Amino acid sequence: MRDVFNFNPGPAILPEPVLESTSKAILNFANTGMSIMEVSHRSKDFDALLIETESLLTEILNIPENYKVLFLQGGASLQFAQIPINLLPSGKTADYIDTGNFSKNAIKEAQKLGNVNIAASTKDDKYTRIPEQSELKLTPDAAYVHITSNNTIEGSQWKTFPDTGNVPLIADMSSDILSKPLDVSKFGIIYAGAQKNMGPAGVTIVIIRKDLADLCPENVPNILQYAVQIKNNSCYNTCPVTSIFVVHEVMKWLKDLGGLKEMEKINEKKAAIVYDALDSSNGFYKGAVQKPYRSLMNVTFRLPSEELEAEFVSQAGKKNLKGLKGHRSVGGIRASIYNAFPIEGAQALADFMAEFEKSHK
Ligand SMILES: *Cc1c(COP(=O)(O)O)cnc(C)c1O
């Protein structure tokens, strides 16, 4: 057992059993006598692992047959560009819903590539909430609608996904994928950098409805075409072998734990512990997001002054509560409590919050 509670926003905490099995595979993968870092992405043993990773993820998320799971590189940030490159032809418009920093980054990339309509933005409310369905100004035959399901920096989360009719809904789920059950069939594409809830940095999961992959113009470079990646089962070029191995281990861990229903229960418990600590402080700690939109993954809050916030982060660090500093663009405190984060860590933070408040009121 480690003595540090890792609240880092990403790369983030991984389950202990995953670290153990990975350390073994670093020395000897599947009794090959070679490290997972040394084996070919086209070897029989790795191919079997890749297939199993996809089938575990498909089982856990209940992904329908008309979807394909891809293991790509370039992070969620490459998806900000790859999506419009594949799916936004000239003459069409893509709708984007702006709920925070990462939505904004996705919008900026899409604007370089095509016509973008901001269907709603909560910027004027300092991103403290998610828009309601009635606020959305959707384009009737948009190429797609893009949302950020969990706003990692601001600490807000969609609780009910927008209804986009026949227009494909695309979601950046980097920071809450696999945190609760999900109806994949509501989406055209779901994508996530693995380094928050699925594994280490270096691999990006894209779950794509197969018919959408066929819309890409032919003059797009091969490596950027979803159809090419589907045809080559994510191995058009050397795929991120070691990162995929870790995702495989995380999927096994999640399945053994009881899958997404069980995961959701645990995540709700953890979040309740921290939000209760926040709300019972009578205003010493102030949540950064309006209550109905609070994220189960990233708990963001403020203290009465920036000096106290710096002191909070520093004293917490000395008590082995690491990574609590808010993102540089918004300040404050952020406790990232992803799937792998233990309930004891949430309790340790709540206890520390009460203690810190007492000695600094
Ligand atoms: C971390 C994060 C990103 C950026 O991911 P990269 O893999 O670094 O490109 C994008 N969107 C969300 C919601 C994130 O949490």
Side-chain angles (χ1 to χ4, degrees):
M1 280 294 283
R2 294 180 284 179
D3 55 7
V4 160
F5 288 120
N6 179 1
F7 290 93
N8 279 330
I13 186 165
L14 286 163
E16 198 90 18
V18 169
L19 299 179
E20 270 162 29
S21 57
T22 302
S23 69
K24 286 191 186 122
I26 294 279
L27 294 172
N28 183 2
F29 165 61
N31 288 320
T32 55
M34 291 177 275
S35 167
I36 183 66
M37 298 188 291
E38 299 173 319
V39 298
S40 167
H41 60 298
R42 306 203 189 278
S43 64
K44 178 170 82 24
D45 291 306
F46 179 73
D47 189 49
L49 179 109
L50 181 62
I51 289 169
E52 194 173 278
T53 311
E54 179 172 356
S55 74
L56 280 166
L57 179 60
T58 300
E59 182 187 339
I60 292 169
L61 259 178
N62 200 12
I63 302 174
E65 260 181 36
N66 56 330
Y67 287 73
K68 172 70 182 166
V69 178
L70 295 172
F71 300 90
L72 306 180
Q73 301 187 57
S77 299
L78 181 59
Q79 293 310 305
F80 295 166
Q82 193 167 356
I83 288 161
I85 285 172
N86 278 257
L87 296 176
L88 181 52
S90 63
K92 279 272 208 178
T93 296
D95 285 347
Y96 278 74
I97 303 181
D98 172 27
T99 52
N101 185 71
F102 285 119
S103 314
K104 233 171 20 193
N105 291 350
I107 289 166
K108 276 191 220 147
E109 293 294 82
Q111 281 171 334
K112 290 186 180 187
L113 293 155
N115 198 24
V116 167
N117 167 48
I118 311 289
S121 171
T122 51
K123 185 165 187 245
D124 289 346
D125 294 317
K126 300 206 167 76
Y127 296 127
T128 56
R129 65 182 188 92
I130 299 293
E132 300 302 322
Q133 179 79 32
S134 58
E135 295 173 63
L136 309 182
K137 298 196 170 62
L138 298 172
T139 308
D141 66 340
Y144 57 84
V145 178
H146 181 281
I147 63 166
T148 314
S149 62
N150 183 74
N151 298 283
T152 323
I153 291 174
E154 294 78 8
S156 65
Q157 188 172 26
W158 286 81
K159 303 295 171 180
T160 320
F161 292 113
D163 181 0
T164 60
N166 287 328
V167 175
L169 177 60
I170 296 183
D172 174 1
M173 293 200 183
S174 293
S175 52
D176 69 349
I177 191 164
L178 299 171
S179 64
K180 56 183 179 185
L182 179 73
D183 182 357
V184 172
S185 72
K186 287 219 160 77
F187 297 86
I189 297 179
I190 292 165
Y191 65 97
Q195 68 271 24
K196 277 110 189 192
N197 236 355
M198 299 189 84
V203 62
T204 309
I205 281 63
V206 175
I207 303 165
I208 179 168
R209 215 178 68 206
K210 285 182 213 161
D211 60 292
L212 294 175
D214 298 329
L215 301 174
C216 185
E218 267 181 30
N219 64 351
V220 166
N222 278 348
I223 193 149
L224 292 175
Q225 291 194 28
Y226 292 121
V228 170
Q229 296 287 8
I230 291 172
K231 197 166 144 228
N232 290 279
N233 202 27
S234 303
C235 290
Y236 168 71
N237 66 329
T238 314
C239 61
V241 173
T242 306
S243 295
I244 292 171
F245 174 87
V246 184
V247 171
H248 176 267
E249 298 307 289
V250 172
M251 292 309 106
K252 276 204 318 203
W253 170 83
L254 191 48
K255 187 181 167 183
D256 289 349
L257 180 140
L260 297 184
K261 276 209 183 107
E262 201 50 40
M263 194 70 257
E264 180 181 40
K265 273 190 222 154
I266 297 170
N267 285 332
E268 280 173 347
K269 251 188 224 160
K270 287 185 292 189
I273 292 171
V274 183
Y275 283 119
D276 283 351
L278 208 157
D279 293 333
S280 62
S281 76
N282 289 322
F284 184 76
Y285 300 108
K286 281 204 174 68
V289 165
Q290 296 176 30
K291 276 188 189 173
Y293 313 101
R294 283 173 164 179
S295 167
L296 292 187
M297 298 280 101
N298 310 96
V299 180
T300 50
F301 57 93
R302 307 296 314 223
L303 273 70
S305 71
E306 285 182 20
E307 290 68 34
L308 276 172
E309 287 168 351
E311 179 68 14
F312 181 93
V313 171
S314 149
Q315 283 201 20
K318 286 183 191 140
K319 301 221 148 172
N320 283 337
L321 306 171
K322 306 283 189 186
L324 285 165
K325 195 173 189 302
H327 190 266
R328 58 190 185 280
S329 64
V330 294
I333 309 294
R334 170 174 51 175
S336 298
I337 48 174
Y338 298 118
N339 283 359
F341 192 86
I343 214 156
E344 300 79 41
Q347 193 53 56
L349 174 61
D351 294 345
F352 173 75
M353 286 169 73
E355 187 190 308
F356 186 88
E357 183 187 353
K358 236 190 238 160
S359 53
H360 290 83
K361 237 187 184 154

